[in-house]
Amino acid sequence: MTFWRRLLHAVLSLLVPGLGQAWAGQFRRGFYIFLATFSLAGLTVFTAAQRARFPEQVYGLSFTVFLRLTVLAFLTLGALLLLYSGFSRRVPQDEYTRRMTFLGFLLVVVLVYFPLVGPQLLEVAMPPAGSRQLYGTLLMTMAAVVAGLWWWNIVDAWHVRPDEAQMGWSGLIALTLVGLLILGNWIVEINVPKAIREYRETSRILGDILWPWRAAFDYRASELRATARIQAPCPPGSQPPPVNQPRDDGPWVVVEPTCGQLSTRDDKGRLQYGTLLTIRGGGFVPGKKVKIKWENPIGNEFTPRGVGPTEIEVGPDGTFETQMYIPDVVIPDIAKGPQIHKLHVVQPGALRFTGTLSREMKLALQAMLVSIMMGFMATFVGMVLAVPLSFLAARNLMSTLRVSMQGLLGGVLGLSLGGWLGLQAAHWVSRQMGGLEQAPVAVALTSAVLVGGMALVGFRLMGRAQERLMAHMPAAVRTAIRMVGLAALLAVPGALLGLGYARGILALAWPPEEVAVVEPKLMWAVSGLAAIVGLVIGYRWPESRPVPLGQGIYAVVRLIMNVVRSIEPLIWGLVGVIWVGLGPFAGFIALTLHTIAALGKLYSEAIESIHPGPIEAIQSTGANRLQTIMYAVLPQVLPHFTAYSLYRWDINVRMSTVIGLVGGGGIGFLLIQWIRQVQYQHAGLAVWLIALTVATLDFVSAGIRKRLV
Amino acid sequence: MLKVEHLTKVYDNGTVALRDVSFTVEEGEFLVVIGLSGSGKSTLLRCINRLVEPTEGRIVWNDVDITALDEAGLRRVRREIGFIFQEFNLVERISVLQNVLSGRLGYVNPWWSLMYYFPPEERQRALEALETVGLREKAHVRASDLSGGQKQRVAIARALMQEPKLILADEPVASLDPVLAHSIMGYLERLNREQGVTVICSLHYLDLVQRYATRVIGLREGRLVYEGTREDIRRLSDEEFKRIYGEEAQRLGG
């Protein structure tokens, strides 16, 4: 009987007592266990309910809560099962490890399951505060019995002899799915009637977003307008403005008298009317309304309120007549004396299409271009950086990279030495070129090449030198060198570890002064410990045994890539905004970081899936490692690399529209602003542009990829 | 002269592929290795140029201990040992000419070769090698467009570029039909006869063994179980062959 079958029985019985036994073909046994466990559990709840003297309430409550708990249990177990099968791809070979693994798994299940269920079960069983004390003990005992029975049933399921028939997982999956659906519906608060009821409210906004094109163009308003001037108050001793005369060639307005008193407000805010104006006008479009606007001496136009009608129907001959009081206009104290006001009569006409793009549309187009370029740059830079990384993260290439222990020790020394020399050289070169600000790309490139290259050369040279040198030494000296070298090599990360522990972990709980005292001690202690470990390993390390350097590099690069990849570009966007401020550069940084990690993984998987044959063939010709990569690996992976890069470009442009939401520049930035300003039509423009771009790009990249692979 | 001494290979998963195998190959011999699949033939051949690292034992070729070489030394030895694979192992996505040129990687300037540049005389040499195997006109065809027999001939041309003193051939005709098999074996035989290249070749079919081998060794479960000269093989009856080889042995003619 396999481990998995036993596990399945046990898990089934954990979910429903007896189910595992039934699954194994022992239906009667399963049925009995089921009856026993559930009648006891039911009795427990029932007793609690009766004794608490709230039978109905408790029963009702217990049922719904129990249902929820069951669903929760399904969910937990499903997740745990997935986790468990994900973490242990390989079934341990020997019986002991297998048992320990299973026990560990069960422990996790129990630890998660019972704390989740326990308190709520008790809550269900003992609602009123008074009875809690009295029946708590009894109920705990009964619950313990139920738990014990449950546990025994799991153990029984583990040992039960199965039927010979093949089993499937479909039942369990179906159960988990049903549980998930019920729970999901409840958690997400899906409410269809509400969605239908409240759709009406949304339709106008939705319309703006779905068809926003009116906002894409400029319209010129053609309106008819006539103006008259009024002086307030009447100027003592001089003439008020002249009375307008009717015209034939356009709209006109005549106001009489042309001077008078402003309306005012008394202490209670009531309006005290000023001079009554008679307003006559003509030359307007018949049958439509005109609006009366007042312009105060400093040029502010407003619609006067409470002093007479402001919207008047124009007669069939294009004239109208109305009356209104001069409105109350707040005049600052320093502007005493007669002031000139204006009365406008405005008749709005149709908006005329001008054919030019509106300011918002131009902005949106610009921002879209920024987004596309941001995605493109991020993809390109990410691609360039991901290619070398992907070779380091390909298991099939790296697992063959091994060095001897003495080579590694010499190599690390050479690596640090070469890196330091490279850094000095890079500084010198950067000064010659006029510093980072003068020639950023050249300085960055040469620095990277110098530091990386010299470190690698140092590793190679010193590694070889050390190997050659040590070959001629007596064995004792070789061992001594290995011990000292390894101790020194491990002491550095040891010191960092001690420092990290002091600053990162101790500082959480301890006051800073104490941490500062302990910090150096801890650093030296851990460093010393690591050095001792190094001495021991160096002493015990067999001379001929190679160090799997490649596997180490593989693990480290993969780990970093996985961590970077698992952090969403949006969050990298926040980091970018803090780093270099708002704008497309921040978005570029976010997308590039994520792209390097994501493409690195895809690339390395493409490399891992190539045919090993050509590699063997090229190696057989005496080619070195780089030549092998260029001739046997690259031709095989190039189409995949191109396809993945295109795919990533597609993703990046899509992401670049979103990255703006956190301040990363581009169209997302514009979109979120317009949404916040409740300008749904403009937001709709942005949405449309994004959709069009993404669709186009998707179409194009899919086409190119189809041709490549 | 190639001396294999007490060669043992244990793979990481515990499989013992070779157990204490020792034999000697003289200059100019055509040594055929026979044995069932899984008997260690491929491992043996791959150990000789260290595509597979031997666990124990030594391989000495013209007084050079191949098993003790560092990477650079190994590359120098490898470039003089051609290797023919059962599955041809051409790089499918590049041209035939480039595949042939890649046989020269151990000789040319590595930095130039990383940019896919080869000097004109090397290109000329590659064309001549293709001429030898009768595929001159296919030089600029993609390797994936060739038939099986053509691919193996390109692989031979690639090995020719190495100016090999030793050719290791791992079931070179197992993926080909009988007529092609003879043509491929013919190229190997010509190299052996005319240029004195030592050939170590694993084979499946008795009549091919009898036709081409000057000496035969037999492997069974990683052990050396048979060693015979050309005359010994010619005298072998089918029954004896099967005894060494296993029940699945058969003649190419059927």
Side-chain angles (χ1 to χ4, degrees), chain A residues 85-287:
Chain A
S85 56
F87 272 123
S88 62
R89 278 211 185 145
R90 250 181 258 148
V91 182
Q93 290 297 320
D94 63 303
E95 192 65 26
Y96 178 71
T97 328
R98 221 184 268 178
R99 241 178 234 174
M100 292 315 286
T101 317
F102 174 70
L103 276 180
F105 172 61
L106 272 191
L107 193 68
V108 172
V109 172
V110 170
L111 280 178
V112 175
Y113 189 70
F114 281 103
L116 275 178
V117 176
Q120 303 205 37
L121 264 182
L122 281 181
E123 207 175 294
V124 171
M126 317 176 283
S131 60
R132 192 165 290 193
Q133 298 245 318
L134 203 59
Y135 299 106
T137 321
L138 172 74
L139 282 168
M140 289 292 276
T141 318
M142 291 189 78
V145 173
V146 175
L149 190 62
W150 210 303
W151 173 253
W152 172 80
N153 126 74
I154 295 168
V155 176
D156 182 71
W158 178 256
H159 289 297
V160 76
R161 299 291 310 167
D163 206 355
E164 284 310 306
Q166 275 289 315
M167 292 181 302
W169 286 88
S170 43
L172 189 70
I173 291 171
L175 282 177
T176 314
L177 192 64
V178 168
L180 277 175
L181 283 176
I182 296 171
L183 194 72
N185 197 34
W186 175 54
I187 288 178
V188 182
E189 299 173 14
I190 290 174
N191 188 342
V192 178
K194 183 177 179 180
I196 295 171
R197 208 165 48 234
E198 296 182 4
Y199 166 72
R200 223 169 258 279
E201 307 278 319
T202 336
S203 58
R204 192 183 55 79
I205 295 171
L206 211 59
D208 275 353
I209 293 174
L210 288 182
W211 197 252
W213 295 107
R214 251 190 105 76
F217 299 100
D218 265 337
Y219 291 88
R220 199 169 49 230
S222 56
E223 56 173 30
L224 296 175
R225 181 182 276 257
T227 304
R229 295 197 297 168
I230 294 116
Q231 200 170 26
C234 283
S238 64
Q239 286 298 309
V243 178
N244 281 350
Q245 292 305 315
R247 308 186 291 166
D248 294 330
D249 56 341
W252 53 269
V253 60
V254 175
V255 178
E256 277 173 308
T258 57
C259 75
Q261 288 298 319
L262 294 175
S263 298
T264 52
R265 286 189 188 270
D266 61 14
D267 340 330
K268 287 176 186 158
R270 275 187 306 235
L271 206 58
Q272 302 294 316
Y273 294 121
T275 311
L276 184 68
L277 300 174
T278 303
I279 304 164
R280 289 185 298 116
F284 291 95
V285 177

Side-chain angles (χ1 to χ4, degrees), chain B residues 118-179:
Chain B
F118 286 89
E121 65 268 21
E122 299 292 355
R123 299 176 71 86
Q124 192 53 44
R125 190 199 294 271
L127 289 173
E128 281 161 17
L130 277 174
E131 188 85 61
T132 315
V133 295
L135 285 174
R136 177 74 160 76
E137 75 283 3
K138 295 278 188 189
H140 298 287
V141 173
R142 252 167 70 134
S144 54
D145 295 341
L146 298 182
S147 69
Q150 288 171 330
K151 282 181 186 169
Q152 196 61 298
R153 278 146 73 192
V154 173
I156 288 177
R158 179 170 64 187
L160 284 178
M161 290 294 281
Q162 296 176 241
E163 297 179 289
K165 300 193 170 63
L166 170 65
I167 284 187
L168 306 171
D170 183 14
E171 305 258 8
V173 297
S175 311
L176 303 173
D177 64 51
V179 182

Side-chain angles (χ1 to χ4, degrees), chain A residues 374-424:
Chain A
M374 195 159 87
F376 174 70
M377 288 304 287
T379 314
F380 187 79
V381 176
M383 190 177 80
V384 169
L385 294 176
V387 167
L389 272 182
S390 68
F391 284 96
L392 296 181
R395 189 193 287 273
N396 53 346
L397 296 185
M398 294 310 279
S399 63
T400 57
L401 183 64
R402 293 175 183 175
V403 293
S404 64
M405 180 57 90
Q406 42 268 44
L408 177 73
L409 293 177
V412 171
L413 195 65
L415 186 79
S416 10
L417 212 66
W420 183 78
L421 279 176
L423 205 64
Q424 302 306 313

Side-chain angles (χ1 to χ4, degrees), chain A residues 603-667:
Chain A
Y603 287 173
S604 60
E605 263 155 28
I607 296 171
E608 281 176 7
S609 67
I610 61 172
H611 291 294
I615 298 181
E616 280 192 326
I618 298 296
Q619 276 176 345
S620 306
T621 66
N624 64 28
R625 208 168 270 277
L626 271 179
Q627 286 173 325
T628 310
I629 286 178
M630 290 305 277
Y631 281 84
V633 180
L634 211 59
Q636 290 194 64
V637 295
L638 212 54
H640 297 279
F641 276 25
T642 322
Y644 285 139
S645 308
L646 273 171
Y647 175 57
R648 191 63 210 182
W649 184 34
D650 186 346
I651 292 179
N652 273 350
V653 171
R654 215 174 328 140
M655 282 310 302
S656 71
T657 60
V658 181
I659 216 96
L661 301 186
V662 295
I667 193 138

Side-chain angles (χ1 to χ4, degrees), chain A residues 8-27 29-31 33-34 38 74 153 157 160 167 171-172 175:
Chain A
L8 174 68
H9 294 159
V11 169
L12 283 178
S13 285
L14 178 69
L15 293 173
V16 180
L19 188 59
Q21 286 86 342
W23 191 283
Q26 306 260 7
F27 293 106
R29 190 189 186 91
F31 184 58
I33 291 174
F34 176 80
F38 263 87
F74 275 131
N153 126 74
V160 76
M167 292 181 302
L172 189 70
L175 282 177

